[in-house]
Amino acid sequence: MIQNFQLLAKSKPWYARRTVPEWIYNQDHCKLFGIRPLERIVAVLELGEDDPFSQSAPSAPPLLNLTHL
């Protein structure tokens, strides 16, 4: 599902970056997002309208923090 969304974003003028932050291994932190004991977060998608690291964009939009789809 993550890869499919990244492919969709690549075909549009959207920015999507997959990250694996350290906090996903902390079960107490994951409980804040409603993750159950036998569930795991595998990655975090950072979404925006354009690549914030692109030199062509003078001011990149802030990233959208989605916790549930």
Side-chain angles (χ1 to χ4, degrees):
M1 188 164 100
I2 292 171
Q3 184 179 17
N4 288 346
F5 191 86
Q6 284 184 294
L7 290 171
L8 172 66
K10 191 178 274 191
S11 70
K12 307 286 183 184
W14 301 341
Y15 165 74
R17 181 174 78 168
R18 178 178 17 184
T19 60
V20 183
E22 283 294 318
W23 61 260
I24 68 171
Y25 302 108
N26 182 335
Q27 289 185 353
D28 292 330
H29 191 86
C30 291
K31 284 181 188 177
L32 299 173
F33 296 104
I35 305 300
R36 296 179 186 148
L38 297 178
E39 296 176 334
R40 299 287 179 257
I41 297 174
V42 295
V44 175
L45 283 177
E46 297 175 0
L47 307 171
E49 292 182 39
D50 198 2
D51 186 351
F53 302 108
S54 170
Q55 298 297 340
S56 63
S59 62
L63 295 177
L64 177 64
N65 183 5
L66 287 179
T67 57
H68 293 88
L69 292 178

